[in-house]
Amino acid sequence: MDYTQLGRTGLKVSRLCLGTMNFGPLTTEEDSFAIMDHAHELGINFFDTANVYGWKKGEGVTEQIIGRWFAKGGGRREKTVIATKLYGSMGDWPNEGQLSALNIRRAADASLKRMQTDHIDLYQAHHIDRNTPFDEFWEAMDILKQQGKILYVGSSNFAGWHIAKAQESARRRNSVGLVSEQSHYNLIVRAPELEVIPAAEDYGVGLIPWSPLAGGLLGGILRKIDKGRSASEQITKQLDRHRDKIERYEEFCDELGEDPANVGLAWLLHQKIVTAPIIGPRTLDQLDGATRALEIVLDEKALTRLDEIFPGFKTAPEHYAW
């Protein structure tokens, strides 16, 4: 396993981040434990979750599964850089969601209890909260740091100007600020290249791409459908929209002799801003398969070919102005 720094920090994390969103709804607790144990065997030390995962409001099902896994001991907690997120509603009363100082305090304590740990390594805002000033956000996060409950703060689904505003607010408080941004980024969804990635690069914020395979579109979907495997209605609609590109992409992967899913992950690993794509395996086989991406080297010719199939963006404003 290769490791890299998380943004501008001294923290070392694996080049693949284990996403846990499937733990509970799609993957049993027993299988979730096996996947996390095997991730450690492969050298993956970076796990991502969120308080809303499990999709039973207020229960934090996935965090509870992780907590029971930590409780098994054997160095499981010590070997793991655990990242979780807050924002989504955890109840029906006011202040049980978003990023007010009140919810940040309550949500952090609840996540700590569910995960049976005394600190969160990376605490992330799951979405921008347009109603909470960044001064309030940072005051609450700084208090959690002082209490030893969190170590680093990250964002998710922030626009470029949100990152800039957050960092300038933190700078005024002599705070470290954001160290990472978790963004929807893959070969098909390249809009972050306009402003999110330039902002992240300028402020030393590491990029953690979610949905690196575009919900399965980049995972060899055509050959799976040809074999009779079904796709969701949403994915089918997206496939109809991108079919020509997907066909060319899968043909190119065949030329490379590589699985499309691994090529999609490898492309992200070749982007200098990317810390670690989030993989969300439902099975041990899917976890093992993803590690192949670490070995794939895409030369300039291959990267150019991928850009031709899935055109990207120049940094704003050059993309749309001189």
Side-chain angles (χ1 to χ4, degrees):
M1 179 58 58
D2 294 327
Y3 299 89
T4 189
Q5 310 300 132
L6 178 62
R8 65 192 184 284
T9 75
L11 183 67
K12 292 185 181 295
V13 295
S14 49
R15 292 305 313 277
L16 294 177
C17 178
L18 180 68
T20 63
M21 189 170 66
N22 291 322
F23 294 178
L26 297 178
T27 304
T28 67
E29 182 163 320
E30 181 181 1
D31 288 345
S32 299
F33 283 8
I35 288 171
M36 288 187 283
D37 281 334
H38 192 48
H40 275 181
E41 292 171 359
L42 295 171
I44 296 174
N45 74 334
F46 192 19
F47 292 12
D48 177 74
T49 191
N51 60 359
V52 294
Y53 288 173
W55 314 118
K56 293 182 179 179
K57 184 180 284 189
E59 294 188 24
V61 172
T62 304
E63 285 188 335
Q64 289 190 46
I65 290 173
I66 293 171
R68 288 189 286 271
W69 180 73
F70 282 156
K72 289 167 65 69
R76 287 174 171 83
R77 176 63 186 97
E78 292 77 8
K79 294 176 182 177
T80 303
V81 175
I82 189 66
T84 192
K85 300 183 286 289
L86 82 153
Y87 176 88
S89 177
M90 294 293 285
D92 297 324
W93 279 75
N95 304 310
E96 292 190 280
Q98 301 190 318
L99 302 178
S100 69
L102 178 60
N103 187 53
I104 287 173
R105 175 178 176 172
R106 288 176 173 172
D109 285 343
S111 287
L112 290 169
K113 183 177 181 180
R114 283 190 291 267
M115 292 194 293
Q116 303 189 46
T117 184
D118 64 353
H119 74 281
I120 296 163
D121 298 307
L122 176 63
Y123 202 35
Q124 304 161 109
H126 209 160
H127 196 278
I128 186 66
D129 180 357
R130 296 176 176 86
N131 295 316
T132 300
F134 276 113
D135 282 343
E136 177 181 351
F137 172 81
W138 284 122
E139 181 176 31
M141 290 296 185
D142 286 345
I143 289 173
L144 290 178
K145 282 187 177 183
Q146 292 163 11
Q147 294 172 334
K149 294 180 178 180
I150 67 172
L151 298 181
Y152 301 96
V153 179
S155 60
S156 181
N157 303 305
F158 275 29
W161 74 276
H162 295 142
I163 294 173
K165 195 169 182 179
Q167 298 303 73
E168 293 306 316
S169 174
R171 179 177 294 174
R172 290 193 298 270
R173 300 176 56 86
N174 294 316
S175 178
V176 172
L178 302 174
V179 302
S180 62
E181 157 62 18
Q182 198 174 121
S183 193
H184 190 192
Y185 185 47
N186 53 56
L187 273 166
I188 293 176
V189 180
R190 297 185 61 171
E193 294 169 355
L194 278 166
E195 299 196 26
V196 172
I197 288 176
E201 288 177 333
D202 192 70
Y203 284 104
V205 173
L207 193 72
I208 306 171
W210 61 266
S211 192
L213 300 181
L217 289 177
L218 298 171
I221 190 169
L222 294 179
R223 61 194 71 185
K224 292 175 182 177
I225 289 178
D226 289 344
K227 292 180 180 179
R229 293 173 60 178
S230 62
S232 68
E233 182 179 350
Q234 181 181 5
I235 291 299
T236 300
K237 289 180 179 178
Q238 289 294 315
L239 176 59
D240 291 340
R241 178 182 175 188
H242 298 287
R243 179 174 288 273
D244 177 62
K245 294 179 179 179
I246 298 298
E247 287 177 349
R248 293 165 60 196
Y249 173 67
E250 293 196 11
E251 289 172 1
F252 178 54
C253 292
D254 287 339
E255 292 177 25
L256 294 175
E258 298 288 352
D259 186 272
N262 296 335
V263 173
L265 288 174
W267 178 82
L268 284 170
L269 291 167
H270 280 68
Q271 310 308 306
K272 64 179 182 179
I273 186 62
V274 170
T275 297
I278 298 175
I279 58 172
R282 295 189 301 275
T283 65
L284 288 172
D285 287 342
Q286 289 179 347
L287 175 57
D288 280 328
T291 61
R292 168 60 187 158
L294 298 164
E295 304 170 359
I296 297 175
V297 176
L298 299 173
D299 59 22
E300 288 301 318
K301 184 177 180 181
L303 292 170
T304 299
R305 181 80 173 273
L306 289 169
D307 283 338
E308 290 170 351
I309 298 172
F310 302 106
F313 292 84
K314 296 179 181 178
T315 300
E318 283 83 359
H319 188 82
Y320 47 77
W322 56 272

